[in-house]
Amino acid sequence: MDVRSGLVAVLAVLAVASAGCAPDVVPLEDLAVEMQEYDGEEVTTHGVVAEFDEDDGALEHHYVIQDGDANRVQLVPDDAAAPHVGDMTEVVGTFEFDPDRGRLLHIESIEPVEG
């Protein structure tokens, strides 16, 4: 095997190994404070799922994941978040910061955790 073939083989192994890695765990506080840094990134975060609607003063019905300091990120889609209201959860998804809509987490997976 020549050097070039060896390098290609090593890079292929590294690519396969990194493909199975979980996204970085990012605290909700970091997503709230450093939102531009995480925009478009796949992240894992933890918190309690809460529901807000117009009766709560919200502009629209929505679900969030929040921590004890009220750092919040809206969860989408609603149907994935709804069954977990009140649960401590781990959410994996793509984070988005939109100046008009705020902080969003597009759910790839959501699971209850002990906490």
Side-chain angles (χ1 to χ4, degrees):
M1 179 182 297
D2 66 8
V3 173
R4 176 177 271 173
S5 297
L7 181 58
V8 169
V10 168
L11 290 174
V13 168
L14 289 174
V16 169
S18 67
C21 293
D24 290 336
V25 175
V26 181
L28 286 167
E29 178 180 17
D30 291 356
L31 293 176
V33 173
E34 301 172 22
M35 51 201 123
Q36 281 96 358
E37 181 177 331
Y38 294 102
D39 189 30
E41 297 293 319
E42 185 179 35
V43 300
T44 299
T45 196
H46 299 92
V48 176
V49 177
E51 179 178 18
F52 291 90
D53 60 32
E54 293 85 4
D55 294 338
D56 300 325
L59 297 176
E60 63 182 45
H61 185 263
H62 64 282
Y63 296 88
V64 301
I65 185 170
Q66 63 185 6
D67 63 16
D69 294 325
N71 292 301
R72 296 178 177 139
V73 174
Q74 184 174 345
L75 296 171
V76 290
D78 288 350
D79 60 340
H84 300 283
V85 171
D87 293 342
M88 172 62 80
T89 60
E90 175 180 88
V91 179
V92 177
T94 303
F95 180 78
E96 174 188 2
F97 173 67
D98 181 315
D100 295 325
R101 294 183 60 200
R103 299 179 298 264
L104 303 166
L105 188 55
H106 300 270
I107 300 169
E108 294 172 22
S109 70
I110 183 169
E111 298 292 330
V113 296
E114 294 200 25

